[in-house]
Amino acid sequence: MTVETHVQAPHGRDASDWLWYAGVLAAGGVLYLLYGQLIPFSEWVTSLFPVARDSHTGEAIAFFFYDVPKVLLLLTGIVFVVGFLRSWFSPEKTRAILAGRHHLWGYPLAALLGVLTPFCSCSSVPLFIGFVSAGIPLGVTFSFLIAGPMVGPVGLGLLYGLVGWQVATIYLVFGFTIATVAGFVLGRMGLERYLQDWVREMTAGPVGDLLEEHLTLVDRMKIGVEQVREIVGKVWIWVLFGIGIGAAIHGYVPEAMMLKIMGGKAWWSVPAAVVVGVPMYTNAAGVIPIVEALLGKGAALGTTLAFMMSVIALSLPEMIILKQVLTYRLIAIFIAVVSMGILATGFLFNVLL
């Protein structure tokens, strides 16, 4: 799928150009202001329901009305920026740059970007979609998608306060390594054919049907807006569906069951922790209190960290949203590769610590 922009010969800035500049700046300001009001908005909406705020239902409602607008705002802003920048770099150029002799650096760099990005799994999906649509190799984008929620700064900071800098540092090393190696493995498997058809069409050719030097800034803005219309228009309903499931799970976390499964140190506790963690959805800040409770009840550290990794790197809502970009086969491969890394981390932590 390509974005066709019909452009006339270069000309001076007329009134319509200035309207575009002002409109884009105003839209950016509105998105920023709305993003800063997400918590008050979610609390206000929750107060309209006849439920106690600290009840399971209250937690689920507040979570839903915070996370849905957050992800949609991020998706809109990121897709516009990526579409705007992509008008200078066609997928062919991007792939050529990242497929050069130093392309291996793309995996750790993408993982590092994920470490520095304070997003949960569903919030990382908009950037993942933007990277894929820009023609960045699939394995590199997976390195970012894995590292972002798994070893982001919020989770690391909270983990540092809970278990100390030594364990937090080891966790960072393991998480970064999983993201880099898993991205490399997935990239070497040539899985681009398992992207959804509309994504493969979008990355199959250059942006637009004209030479890049003929595009004005306004034309490039129009490309960004068109990308928002196409991409957000395809995935917004699945954002609602995925986060709706995540909110229900978040509000009704079966902590007693998890303590029963992960309270011991049997060999099967690590894979059981991963299986239990995958259907759930919360961010690093939300899972840390559960981690603290599990450790307090005697759960092994490796088992607990495997659970934490699976919750924030392989959440069911994230997979539902990704289904609009990836086929079921590619999602299954992604889950299998990341799960093996998480299992290895859990077993090693249990042996070493």
Side-chain angles (χ1 to χ4, degrees), residues 171-249:
Y171 177 82
L172 168 62
V173 172
F174 272 95
F176 181 86
T177 301
I178 289 174
T180 302
V181 174
F184 175 77
V185 171
L186 290 166
R188 300 293 292 179
M189 294 174 70
L191 301 172
E192 282 77 8
R193 64 187 182 278
Y194 296 129
L195 291 169
Q196 292 287 3
D197 291 341
W198 69 271
V199 181
R200 285 191 283 109
E201 292 171 4
M202 180 175 288
T203 61
V207 177
D209 54 0
L210 298 174
L211 295 176
E212 293 171 10
E213 57 265 25
H214 291 168
L215 297 177
T216 66
L217 282 178
V218 171
D219 298 324
R220 299 180 195 280
M221 291 177 187
K222 292 178 180 179
I223 289 174
V225 171
E226 182 65 15
Q227 294 281 278
V228 170
R229 187 188 69 81
E230 293 190 7
I231 295 177
V232 178
K234 288 181 180 295
V235 304
W236 72 268
I237 188 65
W238 296 101
V239 171
L240 294 179
F241 182 59
I243 295 178
I245 292 177
I249 295 172

Side-chain angles (χ1 to χ4, degrees), residues 43-347:
E43 295 295 333
W44 173 73
V45 173
T46 305
S47 69
L48 300 178
F49 289 82
V51 298
R53 173 61 182 84
D54 57 354
S55 66
H56 292 304
T57 304
E59 285 290 334
I61 293 172
F63 189 89
F64 178 82
F65 283 101
Y66 171 79
D67 233 44
V68 166
K70 180 185 73 171
V71 172
L72 290 177
L73 287 174
L74 286 171
L75 185 63
T76 299
I78 290 169
V79 168
F80 173 81
V81 171
V82 170
F84 177 77
L85 295 177
R86 186 185 166 210
S87 66
W88 275 283
F89 300 96
S90 67
E92 288 79 8
K93 282 186 177 180
T94 308
R95 283 191 290 265
I97 292 171
L98 291 173
R101 58 183 177 180
H102 299 302
H103 73 284
L104 289 178
W105 286 105
Y107 299 100
L109 287 177
L112 178 61
L113 176 62
V115 170
L116 299 176
T117 304
F119 289 161
C120 65
S121 57
C122 285
S123 300
S124 297
V125 171
L127 270 174
F128 175 84
I129 293 173
F131 290 165
V132 172
S133 66
I136 294 177
L138 189 59
V140 175
T141 61
F142 273 131
S143 287
F144 166 80
L145 183 66
I146 297 167
M150 187 184 294
V151 286
V154 176
L156 282 176
L158 293 172
L159 196 61
Y160 168 81
L162 178 62
V163 297
W165 71 268
Q166 296 95 335
V167 174
T169 301
I170 297 173
Y171 177 82
L172 168 62
V173 172
F174 272 95
F176 181 86
T177 301
I178 289 174
T180 302
V181 174
F184 175 77
V185 171
L186 290 166
R188 300 293 292 179
M189 294 174 70
L191 301 172
E192 282 77 8
R193 64 187 182 278
Y194 296 129
L195 291 169
Q196 292 287 3
D197 291 341
W198 69 271
V199 181
R200 285 191 283 109
E201 292 171 4
M202 180 175 288
T203 61
V207 177
D209 54 0
L210 298 174
L211 295 176
E212 293 171 10
E213 57 265 25
H214 291 168
L215 297 177
T216 66
L217 282 178
V218 171
D219 298 324
R220 299 180 195 280
M221 291 177 187
K222 292 178 180 179
I223 289 174
V225 171
E226 182 65 15
Q227 294 281 278
V228 170
R229 187 188 69 81
E230 293 190 7
I231 295 177
V232 178
K234 288 181 180 295
V235 304
W236 72 268
I237 188 65
W238 296 101
V239 171
L240 294 179
F241 182 59
I243 295 178
I245 292 177
I249 295 172
H250 177 83
Y252 294 88
V253 176
E255 185 174 317
M257 181 191 72
M258 292 189 299
L259 289 173
K260 183 176 180 180
I261 293 175
M262 294 179 283
K265 296 184 179 181
W267 70 267
W268 51 263
S269 63
V270 175
V274 175
V275 171
V276 170
V278 168
M280 297 184 180
Y281 174 53
T282 183
N283 54 26
V287 78
I288 288 295
I290 302 175
V291 169
E292 186 173 14
L294 291 171
L295 292 175
K297 292 293 184 177
L301 180 59
T303 305
T304 305
L305 292 181
F307 166 76
M308 175 179 172
M309 285 182 165
S310 65
V311 168
I312 58 182
L314 293 174
S315 68
L316 178 60
E318 176 192 11
M319 299 304 126
I320 292 173
I321 299 173
L322 283 177
K323 176 60 181 68
Q324 303 312 296
V325 185
L326 315 178
T327 61
Y328 285 119
R329 181 174 297 185
L330 183 49
I331 290 176
I333 295 172
F334 169 70
I335 292 175
V337 172
V338 177
S339 295
M340 286 189 289
I342 293 175
L343 290 172
T345 300
F347 284 124

